[in-house]
Amino acid sequence: MTTSSRRTVRIAMNGVTGRMGYRQHLVRSLLALREQGGLDLGDGTTLWPEPVLVGRRDHALKAMADRHGLTEWSTDLDAVLADPGVDIYFDAQVTSAREEALGKAIAAGKHIYTEKPTATGLAGALDLARRARAAGVKHGVVQDKLFLPGLLKLKRLVDGGFFGRILSVRGEFGYWVFEGDWQGAQRPSWNYRREDGGGIVVDMFPHWEYVLHELFGRVTAVTAQTATHIPQRWDEQGKPYAATADDAAYGIFQLEGGAIAQINSSWAVRVHRDELVEFQVDGTEGSAVAGLRTCRVQHRGSTPKPVWNPDLPATEPFRAQWQEVPDNDTFDNGFKAQWELFLRHVVLDEPYHWDLFAGARGVQLAELGLRSCAEGRRLDVPEIAL
């Protein structure tokens, strides 16, 4: 008869008063794990995550802790990192504050799990990765879109050879973020100030790097055009400010193996598609359109034969000619699923490759995307020397 035991892992969570840190990482990941009784490690041990909330506003942290029955919070990051009982440091702060905090956590010997981008530039991102490796700590970077049901189905198609030779990937991401004057903005104001680490390239190109890299092949070249379509916005206090960061980016990515990816990202676009992000993949044997949750396909054998004739109305129901890909599985929250893998990596040393070096590739692509726009040319993306 096996006797079960519980092992507690204490996790310093910095930046959980922000929308993403709170909703996805605290509530829908770690607190959800606690609600299900902890993480079953499969050997009779249950891992129990114990969050230690870290931030700048004591009253906000206390209110959050009280709301969820948590007992530990602090505005003193250095003191939390000096606590030998803290096992993992997680960072969901604004980008401009992340690099310094991660460096402190590595020096304190904590395992690292962090949102992206991991630093404001490639040099800093690589320095963090190499310091973590030298310190012998485990390190991971959130790459949540890989765990979305739609992209998991898309990966299933890729792995099964459905597409034949992949020719192209076309992505559309974005929605209208209100300016903040007559309706409140859905995103924080720092996102639109470059001096605070804002901008859609810095925010989204790291996502596109790992999606393209994991599903279709390494990005070998980038051509990008950015824009600040909305030059003035209103902050959380209702005060107008100049938007100094890009709110839209139009990128073309050459992939290893020859496929071309084109991805538009915008916070100044109104949605006329089924989901906020969609990827269309076209191959010699078939095509697919994947969103956050759904994925539809059209095989070569069932592809219609449209004829261009602008003088007649279209009579074919093009969308109806695609087939829904079945779930064939149960999909959990993507952030939670990756947290579970990272915790197993820390405790059981199970393989895990979404690390700070993978995060550095995303920083590199964002950096080169901005440079491509500034210089008006295509730039090669060199492989990172680990």
Side-chain angles (χ1 to χ4, degrees):
M1 185 176 192
T2 303
T3 302
S4 61
S5 62
R6 189 167 90 169
R7 176 175 174 179
T8 298
V9 57
R10 292 176 69 218
I11 304 167
M13 303 190 73
N14 196 357
V16 287
T17 53
R19 179 179 58 92
M20 185 69 72
Y22 174 70
R23 291 177 59 194
Q24 296 295 355
H25 292 287
L26 180 62
V27 174
R28 297 182 183 177
S29 294
L30 296 189
L31 294 185
L33 273 174
R34 288 158 64 102
E35 288 171 8
Q36 71 182 36
L39 176 61
D40 184 358
L41 297 181
D43 61 355
T45 304
T46 299
L47 194 67
W48 183 257
E50 189 64 57
V52 180
L53 308 183
V54 182
R56 294 174 297 173
R57 295 176 293 153
D58 183 83
H59 66 282
L61 295 171
K62 183 181 185 305
M64 187 179 295
D66 290 345
R67 186 184 316 141
H68 296 290
L70 302 174
T71 59
E72 297 187 84
W73 71 92
S74 176
T75 57
D76 189 341
L77 175 61
D78 292 337
V80 171
L81 293 177
D83 183 348
V86 171
D87 305 287
I88 296 171
Y89 172 75
F90 169 71
D91 195 295
Q93 297 184 94
V94 297
T95 302
S96 56
R98 184 167 297 140
E99 187 176 341
E100 180 182 1
L102 290 176
K104 288 182 177 181
I106 292 169
K110 309 302 181 187
H111 301 301
I112 301 296
Y113 190 56
T114 180
E115 269 291 353
K116 69 215 138 313
T118 55
T120 55
L122 177 59
L126 280 176
D127 179 61
L128 286 173
R130 289 165 179 156
R131 286 163 63 187
R133 180 176 60 188
V137 300
K138 302 287 200 311
H139 45 102
V141 176
V142 179
Q143 303 199 335
D144 55 285
K145 289 180 174 49
L146 295 176
F147 300 88
L148 291 169
L151 290 194
L152 288 171
K153 296 173 190 177
L154 186 58
K155 187 174 189 329
R156 188 196 307 161
L157 295 172
V158 173
D159 292 345
F162 171 81
F163 296 102
R165 181 169 60 88
I166 293 177
L167 309 174
S168 63
V169 180
R170 287 182 289 137
E172 288 286 344
F173 164 79
Y175 48 96
W176 188 269
V177 177
F178 283 93
E179 299 90 332
D181 51 351
W182 70 290
Q183 288 198 52
Q186 308 96 298
R187 299 185 66 88
S189 59
W190 72 263
N191 280 180
Y192 302 94
R193 292 190 290 265
R194 177 165 293 189
E195 58 272 24
D196 292 333
I200 203 165
V201 170
V202 170
D203 189 59
M204 297 309 303
F205 272 37
H207 284 290
W208 307 149
E209 192 285 327
Y210 68 71
V211 167
L212 295 172
H213 187 109
E214 294 271 336
L215 270 66
F216 310 110
R218 189 178 74 83
V219 178
T220 60
V222 58
T223 306
Q225 178 65 54
T226 70
T228 305
H229 289 310
I230 309 297
Q232 179 175 265
R233 293 180 178 269
W234 282 256
D235 64 18
E236 290 77 4
Q237 288 72 46
K239 297 179 179 178
Y241 67 94
T244 54
D246 44 281
D247 58 17
Y250 310 92
I252 299 174
F253 309 93
Q254 178 76 47
L255 305 183
E256 200 168 48
I260 303 292
Q262 176 185 330
I263 304 179
N264 297 328
S265 313
S266 178
W267 289 320
V269 62
R270 293 176 177 88
V271 181
H272 189 262
R273 51 184 178 274
D274 293 333
E275 303 195 58
L276 295 186
V277 62
E278 287 187 346
F279 296 93
Q280 176 161 337
V281 183
D282 291 297
T284 54
E285 299 298 316
S287 297
V289 176
L292 297 171
R293 304 201 64 83
T294 64
C295 185
R296 297 178 177 87
V297 294
Q298 188 172 90
H299 190 264
R300 178 186 184 189
S302 58
T303 301
K305 193 175 184 179
V307 176
W308 172 257
N309 188 344
D311 299 320
L312 295 176
T315 58
E316 292 187 80
F318 291 111
R319 285 178 178 266
Q321 295 164 347
W322 293 65
Q323 179 184 359
E324 187 84 23
V325 176
D327 287 353
N328 288 357
D329 204 347
T330 300
F331 302 109
D332 205 345
N333 177 281
F335 290 88
K336 177 172 173 279
Q338 194 176 359
W339 261 109
E340 290 177 353
L341 292 174
F342 182 71
L343 290 173
R344 295 180 69 89
H345 173 59
V346 169
V347 176
L348 302 177
D349 201 28
E350 291 185 353
Y352 187 92
H353 68 273
W354 302 290
D355 58 11
L356 285 169
F357 288 103
R361 291 199 310 264
V363 175
Q364 177 194 42
L365 188 62
E367 195 171 85
L368 289 173
L370 291 171
R371 195 176 127 206
S372 168
C373 177
E375 297 180 4
R377 64 189 183 99
R378 173 184 181 273
L379 293 175
D380 290 335
V381 180
E383 287 196 68
I384 287 178
L386 304 185

